[in-house]
Amino acid sequence: GAVVSQHPSWVICKSGTSVKIECRSLDFQATTMFWYRQFPKQSLMLMATSNEGSKATYEQGVEKDKFLINHASLTLSTLTVTSAHPEDSSFYICSANVQTGSYEQYFGPGTRLTVT
Amino acid sequence: GDSVTQMEGPVTLSEEAFLTINCTYTATGYPSLFWYVQYPGEGLQLLLKATKADDKGSNKGFEATYRKETTSFHLEKGSVQVSDSAVYFCAQTGGGNKLTFGTGTQLKVEL
């Protein structure tokens, strides 16, 4: 139980284009989803917290107009990287809370984005 | 602000050796503490957790004790296997269900 999937697992896009990453909770309803970014040999950096039906809360320093997050249902959140540049190349990971108030997060397998 | 510090890797051990991966935290209040494991090509999985001081989390032979006096949550296993090779992340809770992660420690276990 508590499986989180991400799609695509890897994507290559050209500079200036936009790319959408999906995060789905497969067997539970996730009231809160989180989006992280992970650089090689570095820790996970929280980008934003996404609550179903409301606007995402972005961490300091994360451009909300560049990283658009939509949490349209209890099983789906999307991250769109707009006007991507090579410096946006990274590993993006989502996670979900199983229930409101619980600190336990279940993680997706991640999406490797390469911007050329 | 809140932060988690882990020992740098990679840690290379022979099978059946004893494992310790150090983790210390800084936080206001009383965070919950976690160890996550990331196997090659997979997402992070919760390995164990502790929610209050002196709690011991354990799973799959791994253990970690919440030490408030030393602000530590070191991960230990008495006898590692090749299948334990992975990256291990220490994490603590912050406000709003957020998690703060350490940088991760890669473990390589050899025959």
Side-chain angles (χ1 to χ4, degrees):
Chain A
V3 177
V4 176
S5 70
Q6 281 185 242
H7 177 79
S9 56
W10 59 271
V11 58
I12 302 173
C13 70
K14 292 185 177 181
S15 186
T17 62
S18 296
V19 60
K20 180 185 287 187
I21 302 169
E22 293 184 348
C23 177
R24 294 182 183 273
S25 57
L26 298 185
D27 51 2
F28 66 98
Q29 293 184 330
T31 52
T32 304
M33 287 183 170
F34 303 85
W35 286 96
Y36 296 85
R37 188 172 177 177
Q38 185 180 26
F39 293 99
K41 298 185 178 181
Q42 294 190 28
S43 182
L44 280 73
M45 181 191 75
L46 180 64
M47 300 175 65
T49 302
S50 167
N51 291 294
E52 186 266 337
S54 62
K55 292 183 179 180
T57 302
Y58 290 81
E59 295 298 302
Q60 190 173 10
V62 178
E63 298 176 62
K64 62 181 180 181
D65 294 331
K66 180 170 187 60
F67 298 100
L68 300 179
I69 292 172
N70 182 276
H71 193 159
S73 75
L74 287 171
T75 59
L76 173 64
S77 177
T78 60
L79 167 68
T80 301
V81 183
T82 62
S83 187
H85 289 94
E87 56 266 30
D88 299 325
S89 298
S90 190
F91 195 55
Y92 293 88
I93 303 173
C94 73
S95 71
N97 270 147
V98 176
Q99 61 185 25
T100 303
S102 167
Y103 290 124
E104 193 161 330
Q105 295 181 23
Y106 292 86
F107 285 80
T111 297
R112 172 73 61 192
L113 170 63
T114 302
V115 184
T116 60
Chain B
D2 296 349
S3 67
V4 175
T5 303
Q6 289 181 235
M7 60 188 293
E8 287 191 22
V11 174
T12 303
L13 296 173
S14 298
E15 200 169 43
E16 299 184 359
F18 185 86
L19 168 71
T20 299
I21 300 178
N22 291 336
C23 170
T24 58
Y25 66 93
T26 60
T28 55
Y30 303 94
S32 293
L33 302 173
F34 303 83
W35 277 100
Y36 281 85
V37 58
Q38 185 176 29
Y39 298 103
E42 299 182 16
L44 276 72
Q45 301 174 26
L46 178 64
L47 181 59
L48 53 84
K49 66 180 180 182
T51 58
K52 61 183 186 296
D54 299 326
D55 267 3
K56 176 186 284 187
S58 61
N59 185 26
K60 300 181 180 180
F62 290 90
E63 293 183 341
T65 301
Y66 190 144
R67 302 288 188 195
K68 182 173 178 294
E69 63 275 13
T70 54
T71 62
S72 65
F73 192 54
H74 304 323
L75 181 68
E76 297 181 336
K77 186 174 185 182
S79 177
V80 293
Q81 306 299 313
V82 172
S83 58
D84 294 326
S85 298
V87 180
Y88 293 82
F89 291 91
C90 185
Q92 68 174 14
T93 53
N97 288 3
K98 298 178 185 178
L99 290 176
T100 299
F101 286 88
T103 54
T105 302
Q106 184 176 12
L107 170 65
K108 297 180 181 179
V109 182
E110 302 172 335
L111 291 171

